Amino acid sequence: THTHTHTTTTTTTTPPKSPPSQPKTRTPPHTRPHARTQQHEAHTIEETFEVDYPYFHSTLYPQMVRSVQDTLKAETDSTQRIRVLKSLQASLVFVEIMNHIKGSSEAVEMREGCLSKEQYLALGARRSFMTPIERTLIYALFTSYSSLLSHASLYDRLDLIHHIYTHFSPSFHFPMIHSFTIDEIQDWPQAALKLLFKLCPRTDGLFLAGDTAQSIARGVHFRWCDLQSLFHEEARRCVVSEVKVPKITQLVQNFRCHGRILQLGNAILEKLEALFPDAIEHMEPDTSRTPGPLPTLFPQTSSHALYLFLLGQTPHTQAQAQAHAQDTQGTEGTPPTRHIEFGAYQVVLVRNQQARESLPDMLKHALCMTIFEAKGLEFDDVLLYNFFTDSPVTAPEWEAAMGHTYTHADTDTHTSTPTSTPPSTSTSTSIPTSTSTSIP
């Protein structure tokens, strides 16, 4: 994995609650936590929670779209805008809100905790690649989003960061922090990075490391050039002390994965860089001193064939076993009830919790994790189960992505990669036990 030399850290504190006897003060709409209320005896108990992407996608976003669509229907010549509104994806709108409208370095400085519509529309094309009409609609969706949060007393993580940032004062008595060493910086929004400058006055005490190809935080669009821009802004703001803009160093020697795994990962990054040139920074490919075997791909295979492979059967014996199963049962055959031995160094990775619950019986006793849970851990054997089958990406989107032509010479791993739509049944990747593998 790419590791770079700049860093960040987050300090999360929850604002103290007032005693029940004191009247509650009304907070601004963007910072006010929302909650469901319940009557219990003579007291009113507020239950509030942080809005994450799953809740945003399943509960809030449909309401936001309906609200904006109703407004557009009342206007003239709104057919095109309604069509564009329906084409916007919830994940893209979430990124624009969390990364730009509320999560940018400018937004955390604003009293309301967000950019104005004019400020958002004025962002450069390299910061937000949305068209003017898309930005206008996204800001309308954001207005509806803020209204829903205020009405339901909910909050998101940017509300929390803005609350700490605006209430932080140098007069607070706490131990001076001289340096921070932070990993996984790519999952930090700019607003949180700005908070670091307040917590650690010496910017040369910040050592930040991360990998833009390993970002798993929804709503964060991290780029190293944007991080450097924050240091330049701090240098212009600071008149007392000198702010040194750090140099970015890329580490390309990977000691955790063998070469064939890295080739597969580099091929995917090459595809991302070609399809989204403004969304992901170009990095030199990782290298390894250990060649290693090719990953094994199972396109449209049966659970029975997967079971035999995990038992170490050769393709010849697998074919014989499948033929025997068809002769005796008249079908493709079902895997025996005997369990395969999985230990602490083997893991089954799935896309989400729903996929974990749908595992076949032969894998249910094994250690199973989602991608979020497994990030940073190491195993000898990794089975990536139904990762493409459970993807929310539609078939036309897969065809558009896979139809893109590679710019570099094909590698051995390309022969194991689908060239059109992804498999419609279980797809898995197995890594031999002789190599140690980290989860990117």
Side-chain angles (χ1 to χ4, degrees), residues 112-239:
E112 298 81 6
C114 66
L115 298 179
S116 66
K117 181 179 180 180
E118 292 72 21
Q119 288 174 313
Y120 176 57
L121 293 177
L123 290 178
R126 291 191 64 84
R127 291 188 62 181
S128 174
F129 50 84
M130 309 306 298
T131 64
I133 186 173
E134 289 172 334
R135 292 195 195 189
T136 302
L137 292 172
I138 288 173
Y139 201 88
L141 290 168
F142 163 69
T143 302
S144 175
Y145 170 72
S146 299
S147 177
L148 290 173
L149 293 192
S150 177
H151 178 73
S153 298
L154 300 174
Y155 68 96
D156 56 41
R157 59 179 173 178
L158 274 308
D159 292 326
L160 179 61
I161 293 173
H162 181 257
H163 180 91
I164 299 172
Y165 188 88
T166 54
H167 289 79
F168 182 88
S169 171
S171 62
F172 289 168
H173 298 288
F174 63 91
M176 176 63 67
I177 300 176
H178 295 90
S179 66
F180 276 113
T181 300
I182 306 170
D183 196 8
E184 309 293 358
I185 195 63
Q186 74 278 355
D187 293 328
W188 284 54
Q190 284 191 355
L193 298 175
K194 288 278 288 188
L195 183 59
L196 276 183
F197 292 129
K198 282 196 172 187
L199 298 177
C200 183
R202 294 186 45 166
T203 55
D204 59 348
L206 297 176
F207 186 88
L208 314 177
D211 185 356
T212 53
Q214 292 195 35
S215 180
I216 62 172
R218 286 280 194 172
V220 177
H221 178 199
F222 179 89
R223 296 187 307 175
W224 289 103
C225 59
D226 294 335
L227 178 58
Q228 281 189 312
S229 298
L230 289 181
F231 281 90
H232 284 291
E233 290 179 15
E234 193 67 15
R236 289 191 295 267
R237 179 200 305 265
C238 246
V239 293

Side-chain angles (χ1 to χ4, degrees), residues 352-369:
N352 48 42
Q353 179 62 33
Q354 293 75 17
R356 192 202 317 252
E357 296 171 356
S358 62
L359 283 175
D361 292 338
M362 66 175 177
L363 297 178
K364 286 186 176 179
H365 71 289
L367 176 63
C368 181
M369 293 183 173

Side-chain angles (χ1 to χ4, degrees), residues 48-99:
T48 185
F49 59 89
E50 178 182 329
V51 172
D52 55 9
Y53 177 73
Y55 187 82
F56 174 89
H57 178 269
S58 62
T59 305
L60 298 181
Y61 191 69
Q63 301 178 56
M64 294 159 54
V65 173
R66 284 195 299 267
S67 174
V68 175
Q69 187 171 347
D70 292 342
T71 302
L72 292 176
K73 286 180 179 178
E75 302 176 359
T76 58
D77 300 329
S78 60
T79 305
Q80 180 185 2
R81 285 177 290 170
I82 292 177
R83 184 171 64 252
V84 175
L85 174 67
K86 292 180 178 179
S87 68
L88 294 175
Q89 295 185 351
S91 57
L92 183 145
V93 174
F94 191 73
V95 168
E96 290 295 300
I97 293 176
M98 296 299 168
N99 198 68

Side-chain angles (χ1 to χ4, degrees), residues 33 38 84 143 173 341 349 372 400 423:
Q38 292 181 346
V84 175
T143 302
H173 298 288
E341 292 299 328
L349 296 186
F372 287 89

